[in-house]
Amino acid sequence: MALLDVHDLTMRFHTRDGVVRAVEGVSFQVDRGETLGLVGESGSGKSVTCMALLGLVPTPPGRLEAGRADFDGTDLLSCGERRLRDLRGRRIGMIFQDPMTALNPCLRIGTQMTEVLRCHGRCSRRDARDRAEAALRDVGIQDAAERARGYPHQLSGGMRQRVMIAMALMAGPDLLIADEPTTALDVTVQAQILELMRGLQQARGMAMILVTHNLGVVAGACDRVAVMYAGRIVETGAVAAVFRQPLHPYTEALYRALPRLAAGPRRDLEAIPGQPPRITAPEPGCPFAPRCRHAAPVCREPMALRELSPGHATACLRRQRGEL
Amino acid sequence: MALRTHPTPPPTAESAAAAAAPCLEVRDLRVGFALEGGAVVQAVRGVSLCLDAGEVLGLVGESGCGKSTLARACAGLVPIGSGEVLLQGRPFARLPAGERRRLRPDLQMVFQDPYASLNPRMTVQETLGEALRVRQALAGAALRAAVAALLDEVGLTPEQAWRYPHEFSGGQRQRVAIARALATAPRVIIADEPVSALDVSIQAQIINLLNRLCRERGLAMLFISHDLAVVHHLADRIAVMYLGRLVEVGPAAAVIAAPGHPYTRALVSALPDPDPERERRRRRLLLQGDLPSPLAPPSGCAFRTRCPWAAPSCAEREPALESAGDGHLVACLRREEIAAMSAEKP
């Protein structure tokens, strides 16, 4: 059985300008020890999906319209705040994109780190401090004891993100949710952090949901991938299969639009025409159809993910009908 | 098109000399910022580069390396410490403000954040119209036609001229910012991370637009980005900057295929490859640590603290850019040894 089984997650925001359908009927699974990449452009709903799982979407304006998320026998979406507090930080760790806003600037790093352990009890002050220092050493921070006495502003961006990772991993979670953990970092530091996360994950057999807009990061770090567009998953499958033979035109177009070194210099890119749709006024059918070069009248019918080969599913109606 | 027939200045001895000079030339530029307490950050420490007409030079480096300061110094937006910035042979950065203003239409900038760089209280018509009138006395229908032509050139429609910046998406707003830069019919554009805030699908549109505009208008462009792959799609030549200095300059293909400086090697190696099989197979050159503080750059080669090939001699002498063949310059004392070593290793 999967460690996390998300079914039909639907989260909408009721605003003055209308209902924003941020996440619409999203379903996916994450097995133990596996990394699932959640890919999409801004506004595609990938961050809201993660926040919803952790009960971190402010309600109102957010409203959970439907869905279930079984984490090892508990439904995260209905279990209540007290049960969630017990799981968050202890069994589910999280890393956010911007380590400067996620860390408290007024507290020493050691204090913030031990807070997680002390909250979940069963740990003396000294024990907690030793474990925090060990966690800092695990993420490659030398002079851990000294760093733990310091404040976030005394660290570089890469170091702060290491602290976030150390903090998320300290309680030994079964699942780590990492929302764009390297996006704010320089490429050489991004490479270091990804390498570090990969090593720690393998050593601990932890499951991970890695949210990113970078297909290159997915290629290197994930086992499976779910591609999101306008609040829906449009394709999901093993990374190798999805990249070798994308079954949704959006995945294919996104892949082709990537700048890459393998191309010759000053080569034009295959851009995707048009703009992402406004999710306040969704048209029926496939949200990508207005930008899709394969669009046909059938694309206005309701769409759903369907498996075309084992583990590899697409929401493209024309692909499902064998027309592409 | 009406736009491009702006009145050219009468030929003088000065403009004849300007025609022979490169579009933009930077000579041994230094820019420092004084901090509270008297310390000085040297953001740009002796950079020389040269941009010919119709050429795109990509400038790559990580945050804090001084690339934006270099761009702003070239555009006369921050005072320079020493050195020269020559715009078509004339000492642009050193001119008094009034004279610099006369030359400014020739050099325009596109910034990263079009939210911040466009006036939120002006419609696109007003923003572009104001800039168009710098070169030509236009009014009424002629001005509207000129704005419509500009919008068409950047892939927007004439009706969109009556909208305000907040009514556009990020990608469209960047198109407006580009149209704004083109409105003065510049010879040189300095684009500072113009696609970094955009999503992949929109980023590709803007890269293609810039490529087309440079080709069609024969524009020279200094294109600044932290993303080597993006630069590779635009640049004829690539310059790599680290802690205020250029460490490598050369033809784009050579810099990517055969990087000479260890830092460029690390940048090429750190870029994730969207092919899962290649991505997992390849061996990375992982750097240790972070960028040192620009307040106290390491002695000798500034990169030595993170360089896997650093030797004691690297601390003693600051390497100068030296030729590695065919317009390819590398500033590394151990360049030849490292090239030989990595040729041995498969």
Side-chain angles (χ1 to χ4, degrees):
Chain A
M1 208 184 98
L3 175 68
L4 176 70
D5 187 348
V6 178
H7 184 76
D8 194 30
L9 175 63
T10 301
M11 177 66 90
R12 294 179 187 158
F13 292 90
H14 296 258
T15 68
R16 269 197 313 197
D17 299 330
V19 180
V20 178
R21 293 156 190 260
V23 178
E24 283 288 301
V26 160
S27 305
F28 59 86
Q29 279 119 35
V30 189
D31 284 325
R32 285 173 201 279
E34 174 189 62
T35 302
L36 173 75
L38 216 49
V39 192
E41 300 182 280
S42 33
S44 62
K46 50 197 197 304
S47 288
V48 175
T49 301
C50 295
M51 304 280 267
L53 293 178
L54 295 164
L56 295 178
V57 175
T59 46
R63 193 191 290 167
L64 184 72
E65 307 282 351
R68 214 179 58 229
D70 283 320
F71 173 76
D72 207 13
T74 307
D75 179 11
L76 297 175
L77 302 181
S78 69
C79 67
E81 184 58 22
R82 178 179 292 188
R83 182 89 184 95
L84 260 186
R85 281 188 75 112
D86 180 47
L87 292 173
R88 273 194 309 239
R90 190 169 63 88
R91 297 204 52 204
I92 305 178
M94 50 217 146
I95 302 175
F96 298 100
Q97 174 172 349
D98 181 359
M100 201 58 224
T101 50
L103 292 171
N104 187 332
C106 306
L107 291 182
R108 292 179 199 277
I109 284 159
T111 313
Q112 303 187 46
M113 294 186 70
T114 50
E115 192 184 11
V116 186
L117 295 174
R118 306 271 300 159
C119 260
H120 290 298
R122 299 181 291 270
C123 191
S124 76
R125 197 175 292 254
R126 164 166 304 191
D127 240 18
R129 201 186 61 205
D130 289 348
R131 279 174 68 181
E133 284 172 17
L136 286 176
R137 275 191 295 273
D138 278 351
V139 295
I141 295 180
Q142 286 113 26
D143 51 13
E146 193 185 318
R147 288 302 186 195
R149 280 193 300 275
Y151 289 92
H153 76 268
Q154 295 169 315
L155 300 178
S156 66
M159 286 297 242
R160 273 182 223 137
Q161 202 54 292
R162 282 168 201 264
V163 169
M164 287 290 296
I165 294 172
M167 204 184 275
L169 297 185
M170 203 166 37
D174 301 306
L175 173 68
L176 178 67
I177 298 180
D179 187 358
E180 304 264 13
T182 58
T183 304
L185 305 176
D186 283 319
V187 275
T188 57
V189 180
Q190 165 172 290
Q192 294 169 12
I193 298 285
L194 287 175
E195 194 72 27
L196 169 75
M197 289 177 62
R198 205 172 314 169
L200 289 170
Q201 189 201 9
Q202 271 163 15
R204 295 166 187 233
M206 178 178 67
M208 181 154 80
I209 299 177
L210 181 64
V211 176
T212 177
H213 67 279
N214 188 329
L215 286 177
V217 169
V218 173
C222 301
D223 303 303
R224 285 191 309 119
V225 59
V227 182
M228 291 192 73
Y229 189 80
R232 297 150 179 273
I233 292 181
V234 294
E235 175 164 5
T236 174
V239 167
V242 170
F243 281 48
R244 197 178 318 112
Q245 203 206 1
L247 292 181
H248 197 284
Y250 174 63
T251 316
E252 192 181 357
L254 197 59
Y255 190 70
R256 285 166 181 260
L258 274 187
R260 58 192 79 205
L261 293 181
R266 290 205 72 167
R267 193 68 57 80
D268 269 359
L269 288 158
E270 292 185 45
I272 306 177
Q275 311 285 332
R278 297 209 336 265
I279 42 184
T280 40
E283 303 272 317
C286 175
F288 186 61
R291 303 173 75 188
C292 180
R293 60 194 178 120
H294 302 298
V298 61
C299 300
R300 280 199 286 273
E301 287 170 24
M303 58 166 225
L305 269 180
R306 214 173 81 200
E307 234 175 50
L308 293 192
S309 59
H312 194 172
T314 176
C316 176
L317 289 160
R318 297 202 65 197
R319 177 72 74 172
Q320 290 172 358
R321 293 166 147 217
E323 290 175 357
L324 295 183
Chain B
M1 206 183 285
L3 272 183
R4 290 181 202 160
T5 57
H6 64 81
T8 40
T12 59
E14 194 195 20
S15 62
C23 248
L24 181 71
E25 192 179 354
V26 176
R27 285 191 197 150
D28 197 27
L29 182 71
R30 284 169 196 275
V31 182
F33 296 104
L35 301 182
E36 276 175 54
V40 174
V41 184
Q42 287 296 335
V44 178
R45 304 184 295 136
V47 167
S48 301
L49 49 83
C50 171
L51 188 60
D52 286 327
E55 185 188 40
V56 180
L57 175 65
L59 181 63
V60 196
E62 295 179 292
S63 43
C65 74
K67 55 191 192 304
S68 288
T69 302
L70 175 61
R72 284 162 182 273
C74 287
L77 300 180
V78 293
I80 65 175
S82 66
E84 288 289 354
V85 174
L86 303 173
L87 179 62
Q88 294 175 310
R90 286 166 295 193
F92 185 62
R94 294 217 175 272
L95 289 176
E99 282 180 59
R100 194 156 69 205
R101 198 184 164 99
R102 229 165 27 85
L103 295 184
R104 195 179 296 285
D106 281 342
L107 184 150
Q108 292 289 305
M109 275 194 83
V110 177
F111 299 92
Q112 172 169 359
D113 181 3
Y115 248 122
S117 60
L118 294 171
N119 187 334
R121 291 170 184 238
M122 284 166 86
T123 61
V124 168
Q125 173 72 35
E126 288 165 336
T127 298
L128 298 183
E130 186 182 52
L132 278 166
R133 283 199 302 268
V134 168
R135 290 277 200 192
Q136 263 178 299
L138 285 171
L143 184 62
R144 285 197 296 278
V147 168
L150 260 184
L151 288 176
D152 180 56
E153 200 175 352
V154 298
L156 296 171
T157 60
E159 302 82 65
Q160 289 171 317
W162 306 102
R163 295 202 193 159
Y164 288 92
H166 76 267
E167 297 176 80
F168 292 93
S169 68
Q172 289 173 326
R173 221 176 287 139
Q174 199 56 292
R175 287 177 194 267
V176 175
I178 291 169
R180 160 65 192 78
L182 294 177
T184 64
R187 312 272 164 84
V188 185
I189 284 197
I190 298 179
D192 189 2
E193 302 264 14
V195 299
S196 307
L198 306 176
D199 274 317
V200 174
S201 70
I202 307 300
Q203 174 178 294
Q205 294 175 3
I206 301 295
I207 289 174
N208 291 351
L209 172 66
L210 288 171
N211 247 340
R212 177 167 63 78
L213 291 172
C214 287
R215 268 198 302 267
E216 287 177 0
R217 290 191 167 224
L219 279 171
M221 181 163 70
L222 179 61
F223 181 89
I224 297 168
S225 176
H226 67 280
D227 187 334
L228 202 51
V230 166
V231 166
H232 185 54
H233 279 274
L234 276 160
D236 301 301
R237 287 191 303 136
I238 294 179
V240 183
M241 201 165 171
Y242 188 81
L243 225 57
R245 289 180 72 87
L246 292 187
V247 296
E248 182 157 3
V249 191
V255 170
I256 300 295
H261 195 280
Y263 178 58
T264 318
R265 285 170 186 258
L267 278 183
V268 172
S269 153
L271 211 69
D273 188 326
D275 180 320
E277 278 158 37
R278 271 209 309 269
E279 174 70 15
R280 270 154 220 235
R281 261 206 321 271
R282 80 187 174 143
R283 296 205 351 236
R284 279 185 194 289
L285 172 60
L286 277 183
L287 296 181
Q288 299 294 313
D290 297 321
L291 199 72
S293 161
L295 262 176
S299 67
C301 173
F303 184 60
R304 71 181 165 82
T305 52
R306 298 171 76 195
C307 179
W309 288 285
S313 61
C314 297
E316 287 157 19
R317 200 153 60 82
E318 197 158 31
L321 283 169
E322 283 170 12
S323 173
D326 240 3
H328 191 169
L329 302 172
V330 178
C332 174
L333 295 172
R334 304 191 65 202
R335 177 177 61 82
E336 280 166 358
E337 292 167 69
I338 293 169
M341 271 191 279
S342 43
E344 279 166 30
K345 261 189 277 175

